[in-house]
Amino acid sequence: MEIWKLCVLFFCAFLGGTAIFLVKSDKSKLLKLILSFSGAYLFAITVLHLIPDAYSGPDKWQIGVFILIGFLLQIFLEQFSEGVEHGHIHKHHDGHIFPYGIMISLCLHAFLEGMPLAKEQHNELIFGISLHHIPAAFALASILMQNHFKKGSIILYLILFAVMAPLGFYVSVGLSNGTIGGLDAYFNKIMGIVIGIFLHISTTILFESSADHKINTRKMIAVLLGIGVALIGFFAGH
């Protein structure tokens, strides 16, 4: 993968988090629209690219099981992350308390999201993951700021989060070509787990913020744009 693609993954997350130092007013409505666009885009990319690719291998009859495992894994992770990967910002106790559960689960989530990039260099997927990490990093930085962490410490933790997706890519490359433990035969199963995570994340983003299960006009436009951009990339590549 070209270095600029890894830079996009890193800097979108990092700059999305450091934007907390620049925002002086409530931007929650804009954040929700970005989330809706990225959730729809990520869902479309999963359906159009990742699922067909995962089912193309010789062990395709097992993939559905691993998709379910990934879906359940994300439910488990959210018991600790409190939905930060969806851009949720919750009030926390005052004081210098480090949110270990949020940080660990969020980093693991980002690490797993970077793994599908090793199989094929989908520019669309890189864009979707990068866009999705912007509000997640912003929410993480907001929580750290609420807990009275210094600016330098917040930046260090944002760097740690931002490097997780590129790190997931490099580890996945090693798995796919057998240089790490000779586990290339398990690559499609790993992708099945990641697909399950993506399905949970994207559908949760799309539906959880809709009051009374109704989607307003702005959110509908953001969702349609996200799916439309994914479809354009899909048909342009075929």
Side-chain angles (χ1 to χ4, degrees):
M1 179 186 292
E2 296 92 334
I3 188 66
W4 71 266
K5 295 179 180 179
L6 296 177
C7 288
V8 169
L9 286 171
F10 176 85
F11 283 107
C12 280
F14 178 71
L15 295 177
T18 54
I20 191 69
F21 303 118
L22 304 176
V23 175
K24 303 299 182 182
S25 59
D26 183 13
K27 299 294 184 181
S28 58
K29 291 183 178 180
L30 177 60
L31 192 65
K32 288 182 178 180
L33 289 178
I34 295 174
L35 277 168
S36 297
F37 176 87
S38 64
Y41 185 88
L42 195 60
F43 177 77
I45 290 300
T46 301
V47 172
L48 295 171
H49 292 287
L50 295 186
I51 292 178
D53 287 349
Y55 276 97
S56 63
D59 52 357
K60 57 186 178 182
W61 64 276
Q62 302 177 11
I63 299 302
V65 174
F66 288 91
I67 291 176
L68 289 175
I69 291 173
F71 194 91
L72 293 173
L73 175 61
Q74 182 57 35
I75 293 176
F76 174 76
L77 289 176
E78 288 187 10
Q79 306 310 304
F80 303 95
S81 69
E82 302 180 24
V84 171
E85 56 268 71
H86 305 151
H88 285 184
I89 303 174
H90 300 278
K91 295 295 182 180
H92 286 71
H93 301 293
D94 292 333
H96 196 76
I97 303 173
F98 186 76
Y100 288 101
I102 292 175
M103 190 69 197
I104 293 172
S105 59
L106 197 61
C107 285
L108 178 59
H109 171 81
F111 177 84
L112 291 172
E113 280 193 329
M115 295 187 74
L117 300 175
K119 188 169 185 180
E120 289 189 26
Q121 298 179 16
H122 292 313
N123 291 339
E124 299 88 353
L125 184 56
I126 294 171
F127 175 69
I129 294 174
S130 300
L131 186 62
H132 166 58
H133 281 176
I134 292 173
F138 186 88
L140 173 63
S142 177
I143 291 170
L144 293 173
M145 183 174 286
Q146 287 176 16
N147 288 358
H148 307 294
F149 279 78
K150 294 181 180 179
K151 184 176 181 179
S153 297
I154 294 175
I155 290 176
L156 286 176
Y157 290 124
L158 287 174
I159 291 174
L160 177 61
F161 169 64
V163 80
M164 284 295 108
L167 181 61
F169 161 75
Y170 280 117
V171 171
S172 189
V173 167
L175 291 173
S176 61
N177 61 27
T179 58
I180 300 179
L183 296 179
D184 53 311
Y186 298 94
F187 187 77
N188 272 7
K189 297 180 179 66
I190 295 172
M191 292 306 101
I193 293 175
V194 175
I195 287 169
I197 292 174
F198 283 171
L199 287 175
H200 185 284
I201 290 292
S202 59
T203 52
T204 301
I205 289 173
L206 292 176
F207 297 115
E208 69 177 357
S209 60
S210 302
D212 299 323
H213 301 286
K214 294 181 179 179
I215 299 179
N216 60 38
T217 303
R218 289 185 176 181
K219 182 173 180 178
M220 179 59 73
I221 292 173
V223 169
L224 292 176
L225 282 174
I227 294 176
V229 172
L231 285 170
I232 291 172
F234 175 73
F235 288 112
H238 289 73

